[in-house]
Amino acid sequence: MNDIDAWVWWLVGAAALGIPLVVTAMPEFGMLAVGAVAAAVAAGLGLGAVAQVLVFIVVSVALIAVVRPIAIRHSRQRPRLATGVDALKGKQAVVLERVDGSGGRIKLAGEIWSARSLDRDRAYDVGQEVDVVDIEGATAIVI
């Protein structure tokens, strides 16, 4: 160990922590790797072994304490751009065949969809505009 500088060992440790980051997709390993790089910088500046370990611990814990909650909150947010059937909810459609609680046809986003009314007692006649409130399978639920 005397032949290799401490900063090299810290960089080897950072690379070793990067492997499980890629394999397991656990960002905590990346934060520990950044802590190891910070300790390598401390070693390169000539700080002692105790200071290097403290830098590693402080940087790693700070990243885990600050970045991890932000990343978790961000991963739980719904995408702002709705795609697929989610993009059709709230759109207007035109009734092509009478729509009631048992079925019918509408033209939605340039395509013909089967549809049924949300209120089973309500019916919509040909030419009326309706709002899509949900999609169940291949059937639009309209009001």
Side-chain angles (χ1 to χ4, degrees):
M1 185 164 169
N2 292 337
D3 294 343
I4 300 177
D5 292 332
W7 65 271
V8 174
W9 286 110
W10 282 110
L11 290 180
V12 169
L17 287 166
I19 293 169
L21 167 66
V22 173
V23 173
T24 64
M26 291 181 61
E28 292 83 0
F29 285 111
M31 295 173 209
L32 293 172
V34 172
V37 170
V41 170
L45 294 173
L47 297 177
V50 173
Q52 294 169 31
V53 171
L54 285 175
V55 167
F56 171 74
I57 291 170
V58 168
V59 170
S60 298
V61 169
L63 285 172
I64 290 171
V66 173
V67 175
R68 188 171 183 272
I70 294 170
I72 289 172
R73 185 171 52 246
H74 179 62
S75 70
R76 290 187 180 155
Q77 287 179 345
R78 291 190 60 163
R80 293 182 185 189
L81 177 63
T83 59
V85 294
D86 288 333
L88 299 175
K89 294 177 185 175
K91 298 280 186 184
Q92 286 192 331
V94 177
V95 176
L96 298 177
E97 294 176 12
R98 180 182 162 93
V99 175
D100 55 25
S102 60
R105 297 261 185 241
I106 60 171
K107 187 166 190 173
L108 172 62
E111 297 178 345
I112 298 174
W113 282 73
S114 62
R116 69 173 172 79
S117 62
L118 179 64
D119 181 4
R120 297 226 178 241
D121 297 330
R122 176 99 173 145
Y124 303 96
D125 292 318
V126 174
Q128 275 188 286
E129 287 191 356
V130 292
D131 293 319
V132 177
V133 293
D134 198 10
I135 304 285
E136 291 180 358
T139 302
I141 311 301
V142 298
I143 57 170

